[in-house]
Amino acid sequence: MYLKLSWRNLWRNRKRTLITVSAIAFAVLAAVFMQSINRGSHEMMIDNMVRFHTGYVQLQDYRYDEEASLDNAFPYLPETETRALQAHDRITGVIPRIETFMLAGNDHTTRGAFVLGIDPEREHDFNGLRDHLSGGRFFEPGEDKAVVTEGLARRLELAAGDTLLLIGQGRFGMSANALFEISGIMRHPLHEINEQTVYLPLHSIQYLLSADEHITHLLIALDRERDTRNVRQALQQEFQDDELIAYTWPEMMPELLQLLEFDLVGAYVMAGVLYIVIGFGFFGTVLTMTLERMREFGVLLSVGMKRSRLAGVLLMETLFISFIGVLSGLGLSWLVLYYFYLNPIELTGQTAETIIEMGWEPILPVSFAADQFYTQGIIVFCIAVVVFLFPLLKVMNLNILEAARK
Amino acid sequence: MENTIIQTFDLCKIYNPDAVPVHALREVNISVAEGEFTSIVGPSGSGKTTLLNMIGGLDKPTSGRVAIDGKNITGMKDSELIDFRLEHIGFVFQHYNLIPVFTALENVAFIMLLQKRTKKEMDERAKSLLEAVGLGERMDARPAKLSGGQQQRVAVARALASQPRFILADEPTANLDGDSAMNLLDIMEKMNREQNITFIFSTHDQRVIDRARRVITMVDGGIYSDE
Ligand SMILES: Nc1ncnc2c1ncn2[C@@H]1O[C@H](COP(=O)(O)OP(=O)(O)OP(=O)(O)O)[C@@H](O)[C@H]1O
Ligand SMILES: [Mg+2]
């Protein structure tokens, strides 16, 4: 019957309650949506960076971080690979790479280039590298050819079938010069890489750089992002006597993370402002709901209703409003997110061009992470509790006679 | 008098003691016995409401005290008083008696819910009380759908529902037209006669005064006559 009392009180002023409820629902929707888009794009960015750039976890020689030189490459033998794969059961694969800088040239000019020695099969499995080819074909394993990214190819006026000149230094100062036939041109999703990169088969570059059976990086693929730290731990353990060190992707890209966090703070501030506005509206409703019933409260206390009981009834009213608001807001958010999940928002104009330039799809991906749903619920619940302080104080300090006279 | 329920001892109430003091009650001594049908009359501002509020434990006297069934209620804490009122006193106010979102039946049952009665008892008693005040047909109507007289009859039914020692009614007929007022009085009188329920009510209405068996007249905060 107390519940009935609260519930019916809500609908005494139907319009006002509906307005409050829809304001809360709207705030929840807006907050979830903003966060979701934000997180969605962050997840996409991180995923791209991890797949093309660093891997979730990476093994390097412990000196490499200080001096990123081929001299600090480490031996990569079949046994190394087995040990890495067995270090943790969430590891789904390992991707060996050699990274170095060389001069890339045609018959009359040269440019600085980022040269990557890779195992094309494994790279493709990890990040679908071959799908980004824009001309020619990818070199087969065992083939002695090069793939050049679009930006570099454009600068050097090279195309598939042309010959690429590479000049540089191998391990321990050995000179390393060679000519490679270009088998294909690719458009790399990460802009910086697209401007300056040459891909070579791992064995070719090892030979060229006098670095047989050596690599500079071993990328680790996982089936779940959240195992990153554990896997790092396991690898650290396994390879500590080999003078190798394992890094997680956040350690390797602190700037990116900072940037994303900064971005998130912006979204939080916006959501915060939104909630403050909604909080005041909610407060206004509860305020009038309380003030216009002072006389009724006076009567209830007169006839013998305990103050705590009455406060309980009012608390239920406040909670009802917030629950209905949150639930409809979440329901709505779910529908909206689901819609945009199925039909991603296509970006247009300037932004879209920039994003296409970066090789990404010009869409705003949404994140479906569950926690953003209940976080909003908790926030609104906290607001409700704060808002409830007003009627609580009023009821606890209510002077029966004064209330009755108003 | 045997079976005294209410007794006041040198009851004084001074409003605004610091600024312009208003002596609302001056050493009022009255006692009310079980089964009385008493009205308190007097000009506006003579202290009727103040006296009823003191007896009902809604306000504290400046000096003196009120005893109900020999129990001194003047020294009770707010929370004790709330419980005391619930168990011992029935209230009928001039207006805004009822919970607007509850039906007549629920309004009457609610007071028994506060007393933690069983659901069955609540329902049966609420129904029989509403029938007794002539509202057997309107039990499911909300107060807004009832006339002023009907609302006051629901209030009387509610006041009776808690099985109090007595019922206090401050100008229960003030907002009613003549017929409704007489009708309400009929019901109160009948309850008094048949069930020995004690009523104390204040009023301005001469026809209501005529129905009382004891009339206490107040003037300027004191008892002028008691007959
Ligand atoms: N809260 C208060 N503060 C100050 N003075 C008050 C207060 N309540 C009542 N009074 C004064 O106390 C005196 C008695 O008031 P009370 O309400 O008891 O009179 P009453 O007999 O009920 O009058 P009425 O017939 O108009 O209802 C009046 O002079 C009134 O102005
Ligand atoms: Mg009065």
Side-chain angles (χ1 to χ4, degrees):
Chain A
M1 210 167 168
Y2 295 118
L3 277 182
K4 209 193 263 178
L5 181 58
S6 303
W7 180 254
R8 291 201 195 149
N9 277 327
L10 277 193
W11 306 107
R12 275 162 89 156
N13 190 329
R14 205 173 296 248
K15 207 193 269 171
R16 184 175 63 206
T17 303
L18 281 179
I19 289 173
T20 312
V21 163
S22 30
I24 292 173
F26 170 77
V28 168
L29 172 65
V32 168
F33 194 63
M34 276 191 319
Q35 262 208 21
S36 173
I37 285 184
N38 229 302
R39 289 228 222 150
S41 53
H42 290 183
E43 279 164 14
M44 188 170 88
M45 255 188 257
I46 289 171
D47 193 65
N48 269 303
M49 289 300 277
V50 163
R51 288 183 179 278
F52 288 104
H53 206 50
T54 64
Y56 293 98
V57 181
Q58 210 181 75
L59 271 177
Q60 299 175 5
D61 186 280
Y62 80 99
R63 285 158 294 224
Y64 191 86
D65 187 48
E66 290 257 301
E67 193 196 345
S69 137
L70 284 170
D71 298 352
N72 292 327
F74 62 95
Y76 181 67
L77 308 164
E79 163 225 323
T80 325
E81 185 174 313
T82 321
R83 279 167 60 204
L85 280 168
Q86 285 168 355
H88 194 283
D89 50 4
R90 287 292 173 187
I91 296 178
T92 55
V94 296
I95 303 103
R97 281 184 188 169
I98 284 188
E99 292 179 7
T100 189
F101 284 93
M102 300 179 88
L103 286 175
N106 53 18
D107 50 11
H108 56 278
T109 52
T110 58
R111 291 200 164 261
F114 179 55
V115 181
L116 229 83
I118 58 164
D119 176 330
E121 287 301 318
R122 294 203 195 168
E123 287 286 340
H124 182 74
D125 285 346
F126 187 47
N127 54 31
L129 198 61
R130 275 191 210 126
D131 302 339
H132 294 271
L133 269 184
S134 58
R137 58 179 183 80
F138 227 91
F139 46 75
E140 298 297 325
E143 216 177 0
D144 230 9
K145 292 186 177 167
V147 167
V148 179
T149 53
E150 265 185 359
L152 185 65
R154 193 180 59 242
R155 286 159 196 241
L156 293 176
E157 295 160 353
L158 291 170
D162 293 348
T163 303
L164 171 75
L165 167 67
L166 285 176
I167 307 168
Q169 232 178 27
R171 253 164 92 75
F172 307 117
M174 306 287 278
S175 78
N177 308 321
L179 292 171
F180 286 94
E181 185 191 328
I182 297 173
S183 69
I185 306 290
M186 73 167 279
R187 162 178 257 187
H188 197 283
L190 301 176
H191 178 74
E192 260 175 63
I193 295 183
N194 194 41
E195 287 304 298
Q196 53 171 354
T197 306
V198 175
Y199 285 95
L200 291 177
L202 192 60
H203 67 90
S204 309
I205 200 170
Q206 281 173 335
Y207 178 75
L208 172 66
L209 301 174
S210 321
D212 277 340
E213 301 188 318
H214 277 67
I215 59 173
T216 53
H217 303 77
L218 186 64
L219 277 60
I220 312 290
L222 307 180
D223 60 356
R224 287 195 318 209
E225 195 275 334
R226 68 184 138 110
D227 293 313
T228 303
R229 282 160 176 279
N230 294 337
V231 168
R232 193 263 303 268
Q233 206 64 36
L235 286 168
Q236 202 83 278
Q237 199 88 27
E238 174 66 34
F239 287 101
Q240 85 197 9
D241 295 336
D242 303 68
E243 302 189 330
L244 297 187
I245 191 164
Y247 294 103
T248 58
W249 64 265
E251 289 169 332
M252 292 179 281
M253 304 183 285
E255 325 79 29
L256 176 69
L257 270 189
Q258 234 165 17
L259 193 79
L260 298 188
E261 261 162 36
F262 190 70
D263 204 30
L264 268 187
V265 168
Y268 286 147
V269 168
M270 287 234 311
V273 169
L274 197 66
Y275 274 127
I276 288 173
V277 171
I278 297 305
F280 273 106
F282 192 3
F283 181 73
T285 301
V286 170
L287 182 91
T288 40
M289 268 178 79
T290 308
L291 289 182
E292 73 191 7
R293 279 153 65 197
M294 291 311 270
R295 201 176 342 216
E296 187 183 325
F297 295 165
V299 168
L300 287 171
L301 296 178
S302 298
V303 300
M305 189 171 190
K306 285 196 176 66
R307 288 176 195 265
S308 51
R309 261 272 133 72
L310 179 54
V313 169
L314 299 182
L315 176 63
M316 290 308 300
E317 292 174 17
T318 314
L319 290 184
F320 271 141
I321 294 186
S322 53
F323 276 137
I324 304 174
V326 169
L327 287 183
S328 42
L330 289 184
L332 221 59
S333 314
W334 197 89
L335 285 179
V336 170
L337 287 191
Y338 191 65
Y339 175 81
F340 285 119
Y341 181 72
L342 296 180
N343 313 288
I345 306 166
E346 293 205 13
L347 296 175
T348 49
Q350 188 76 45
T351 335
E353 273 167 34
T354 320
I355 289 182
I356 294 174
E357 188 107 324
M358 288 164 87
W360 296 349
E361 278 184 90
I363 55 168
L364 267 184
V366 294
S367 163
F368 244 128
D371 65 313
Q372 55 194 5
F373 288 97
Y374 62 73
T375 316
Q376 305 306 324
I378 292 170
I379 292 174
V380 173
F381 178 75
C382 291
I383 294 177
V385 169
V386 172
V387 163
F388 172 67
L389 288 179
F390 176 75
L392 179 70
L393 277 178
K394 270 288 178 201
V395 166
M396 286 306 169
N397 296 321
L398 181 72
N399 179 317
I400 296 175
L401 294 178
E402 276 173 23
R405 228 181 302 117
K406 263 168 209 159
Chain B
M1 254 182 284
E2 80 265 37
N3 255 343
T4 304
I5 301 183
I6 304 162
Q7 210 163 3
T8 69
F9 302 91
D10 296 336
L11 210 54
C12 289
K13 179 69 181 181
I14 305 173
Y15 289 111
N16 303 329
D18 306 323
V20 189
V22 178
H23 291 261
L25 293 179
R26 301 171 197 264
E27 306 205 346
V28 172
N29 289 289
I30 58 163
S31 61
V32 177
E34 189 166 10
E36 282 193 14
F37 199 66
T38 299
S39 96
I40 297 178
V41 302
S44 185
S46 56
K48 305 181 293 292
T49 297
T50 309
L51 179 59
L52 290 181
N53 285 344
M54 296 296 153
I55 295 173
L58 297 174
D59 200 1
K60 298 257 185 223
T62 310
S63 67
R65 61 190 179 86
V66 177
I68 302 219
D69 283 331
K71 205 166 184 264
N72 177 12
I73 66 162
T74 306
M76 286 185 183
K77 283 189 302 190
D78 176 78
S79 56
E80 282 177 285
L81 268 174
I82 288 182
D83 284 340
F84 188 86
R85 288 198 296 265
L86 177 63
E87 298 300 337
H88 298 89
I89 310 175
F91 289 91
V92 178
F93 302 100
Q94 187 178 330
H95 43 212
Y96 297 107
N97 267 297
L98 305 177
I99 300 171
V101 296
F102 274 165
T103 62
L105 187 71
E106 287 166 335
N107 263 288
V108 177
F110 187 68
I111 198 94
M112 291 184 274
L113 177 74
L114 294 177
Q115 292 181 310
K116 303 196 169 69
R117 304 285 182 81
T118 64
K119 175 108 180 58
K120 185 161 167 277
E121 196 183 350
M122 279 163 47
D123 268 8
E124 284 173 5
R125 190 167 164 76
K127 275 183 191 145
S128 74
L129 282 167
L130 283 170
E131 272 156 20
V133 298
L135 288 172
E137 308 290 305
R138 307 296 322 264
M139 287 198 271
D140 295 323
R142 293 200 186 182
K145 295 268 161 68
L146 297 173
S147 72
Q150 290 172 325
Q151 288 181 31
Q152 289 306 71
R153 283 188 268 155
V154 176
V156 169
R158 182 195 58 191
L160 286 166
S162 63
Q163 293 178 307
R165 288 289 281 145
F166 60 94
I167 290 180
L168 287 179
D170 191 9
E171 312 213 20
T173 58
N175 286 350
L176 305 184
D177 61 56
D179 287 349
S180 312
M182 286 307 112
N183 185 274
L184 186 68
L185 252 283
D186 290 342
I187 287 166
M188 288 165 56
E189 229 175 6
K190 185 162 159 258
M191 299 276 175
N192 175 257
R193 205 171 49 241
E194 293 176 359
Q195 298 174 41
N196 202 31
I197 310 270
T198 313
F199 279 91
I200 307 168
F201 51 92
S202 70
T203 186
H204 277 121
D205 185 339
Q206 190 55 45
R207 289 185 301 167
V208 174
I209 298 169
D210 293 343
R211 309 276 295 261
R213 278 190 271 118
R214 176 182 173 192
V215 179
I216 298 174
T217 308
M218 295 187 70
V219 173
D220 197 19
I223 306 291
Y224 174 75
S225 69
D226 185 349
E227 52 211 31

